[in-house]
């Protein structure tokens, strides 16, 4: 039952996008891609708590499609916008004797961004490939501790006034740790309190023709939220989450607009069992109380249990 409680939680990560024109427009490739206000946790699926005893068991596989849209508000000089589409593939390993799950995954994403400055309009196309490793520990029947790390690399092609090309090579690293505590568990409703601390670091190697050859961004963030799941009828669940994110230790890429240090995240989700071993899930989300950016996201996925 403990795994079911964790599985039912809806998460809303606050790893938010930083986007600005020129050299800093590259940040859309990574920060926008990590701004999922509609992030359902790597779904510990129905039946995961019935894994046979042993040292390690392949418990399931999943595939997800994601979208994140970021648009700077008109109050920002020369506002930018970006659209990021991604595909994520992963597996869930259960280690019953250790009371934990191991969730490795790989991801590919593409970002299309537009912006301008006093001298040019700028278009950007970026592709990013990366991976993540997440660990989930069952600390108690109502307490789940998780930690993970991810990394990726990619390339961004910039076009100034649709004529002058410029290429940037990108590398992104992140780490996070948090806990989920179930505070209410009825037969069909689960409510939990979630907190997560994360660190994100982006390195950019600019085109040799640029006046700056290298730049970096970093953010420490903390997100505190309340998530709930309601089993409408067997096999069908509705989920909702609300959280508050705070940034600390922010260092922007040269030319970036400094992000709001505090903002809210709202998310809604649902899942449907197709068979005893296959289920579909999806979610949508929105960042709120951010004076500089509008961020929306969506996710759809399929999970198969073994």
């Amino acid at each position: 039952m403990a795994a079911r409680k964790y599985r039912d939680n809806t998460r809303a990560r606050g790893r938010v996008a930083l986007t600005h024109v020129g050299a800093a427009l590259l940040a859309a490739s990574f920060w926008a891609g990590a701004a999922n206000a509609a992030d359902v946790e790597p779904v510990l699926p129905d039946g995961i708590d019935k894994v046979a005893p042993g040292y390690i068991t392949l418990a399931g596989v999943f595939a997800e499609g994601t979208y994140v849209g970021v648009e700077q508000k008109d109050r920002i000089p020369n506002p930018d916008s970006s659209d990021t589409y991604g595909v994520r593939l992963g597996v869930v390993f259960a280690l019953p004797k250790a009371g934990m799950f191991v969730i490795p995954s790989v991801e590919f994403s593409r970002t299309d961004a537009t912006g301008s400055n006093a001298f040019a309009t700028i278009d950007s196309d970026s592709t990013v490939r990366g991976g993540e490793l997440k660990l989930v520990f069952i600390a108690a029947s109502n307490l789940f501790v998780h930690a993970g790390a991810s990394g990726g690399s990619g390339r961004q092609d910039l076009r100034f006034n649709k004529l002058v090309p410029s290429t940037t090579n990108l590398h992104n690293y992140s780490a996070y740790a948090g806990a989920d505590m179930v505070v209410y568990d009825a037969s069909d409703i689960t409510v939990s309190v979630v907190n997560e601390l994360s660190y994100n670091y982006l390195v950019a190697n600019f085109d040799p023709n640029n006046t700056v050859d290298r730049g970096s961004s970093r953010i420490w963030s903390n997100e505190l939220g309340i998530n709930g799941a309601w089993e409408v009828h067997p096999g069908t669940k509705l989920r909702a989450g609300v959280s508050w994110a705070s940034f600390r230790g922010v260092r922007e890429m040269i030319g970036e607009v400094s992000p709001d240090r505090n903002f809210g995240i709202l998310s809604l989700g649902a899942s449907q069992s197709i068979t005893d071993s296959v289920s579909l899930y999806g979610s949508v989300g929105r960042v709120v109380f951010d004076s500089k950016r509008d961020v929306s996201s969506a996710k759809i996925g399929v999970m198969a249990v073994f």
Side-chain angles (χ1 to χ4, degrees):
M1 295 300 293
R4 179 186 66 79
K5 296 175 188 176
Y6 183 84
R7 178 194 67 239
D8 288 344
N9 293 342
T10 298
R11 294 284 298 116
R13 282 211 188 142
R15 303 177 192 173
V16 175
L18 306 173
T19 57
H20 196 53
V21 35
L25 191 63
L26 62 88
S29 304
F30 285 98
W31 297 107
N36 273 327
D39 195 8
V40 176
E41 277 302 313
V43 200
L44 295 181
D46 291 327
I48 199 77
D49 48 339
K50 300 176 182 177
V51 172
Y55 289 99
I56 185 168
T57 303
L58 177 59
V61 297
F62 62 92
E64 297 175 347
T66 61
Y67 167 77
V68 180
V70 180
E71 186 171 352
Q72 288 185 340
K73 296 184 177 181
D74 291 340
R75 60 173 294 182
I76 302 298
N78 305 306
D80 307 326
S81 63
S82 66
D83 297 288
T84 299
Y85 304 87
V87 175
R88 182 173 176 231
L89 305 174
V91 298
V92 181
F93 292 102
L95 285 72
K97 290 184 177 295
M100 64 179 290
F101 297 89
V102 179
I103 308 169
S105 62
V106 294
E107 184 173 9
F108 173 83
S109 65
R110 175 184 173 87
T111 299
D112 298 319
T114 60
S116 64
N117 59 20
F119 309 101
T121 59
I122 302 175
D123 297 304
S124 167
D125 296 321
S126 307
T127 56
V128 175
R129 295 175 177 83
E132 178 181 18
L133 179 63
K134 180 174 183 177
L135 307 178
V136 179
F137 302 89
I138 302 177
S141 61
N142 69 331
L143 178 61
F144 310 89
V145 178
H146 64 270
S150 64
S153 62
R155 166 181 169 143
Q156 182 189 55
D157 295 319
L158 291 171
R159 295 178 300 278
F160 297 85
N161 289 329
K162 300 182 179 181
L163 295 176
V164 181
S166 177
T167 300
T168 302
N169 293 316
L170 312 173
H171 302 278
N172 183 57
Y173 311 94
S174 67
Y176 57 90
D180 300 35
M181 175 174 285
V182 177
V183 295
Y184 179 80
D185 183 27
S187 59
D188 57 355
I189 296 177
T190 303
V191 179
S192 63
V193 176
V194 182
N195 192 77
E196 182 177 279
L197 175 68
S198 63
Y199 175 75
N200 292 269
Y201 183 66
L202 168 66
V203 177
N205 295 309
F206 299 120
D207 190 289
N209 294 323
N210 285 3
T211 55
V212 178
D213 60 357
R214 184 182 174 91
S216 63
S217 291
R218 72 178 181 198
I219 286 184
W220 285 95
S221 64
N222 189 77
E223 184 183 341
L224 177 64
I226 298 177
N227 302 318
W230 174 34
E231 188 171 25
V232 181
H233 57 78
T236 302
K237 291 186 176 70
L238 300 179
R239 299 180 173 87
V242 56
S243 60
W244 188 255
S246 300
F247 283 170
R248 298 291 184 270
V250 177
R251 182 176 69 191
E252 298 93 351
M253 187 76 67
I254 181 172
E256 281 185 300
V257 173
S258 181
D260 274 1
R261 295 305 196 263
N262 301 280
F263 53 90
I265 303 170
L266 303 176
S267 62
L268 296 173
S271 64
Q272 176 65 54
S273 296
I274 305 303
T275 68
D276 290 341
S277 60
V278 178
S279 61
L280 298 176
Y281 56 93
S283 57
V284 295
R286 180 78 172 181
V287 170
V288 295
F289 304 120
D290 189 318
S291 65
K292 298 178 180 179
R293 294 152 306 124
D294 292 320
V295 181
S296 301
S297 61
K299 175 181 288 186
I300 187 170
V302 58
M303 168 72 76
V305 179
F306 301 117

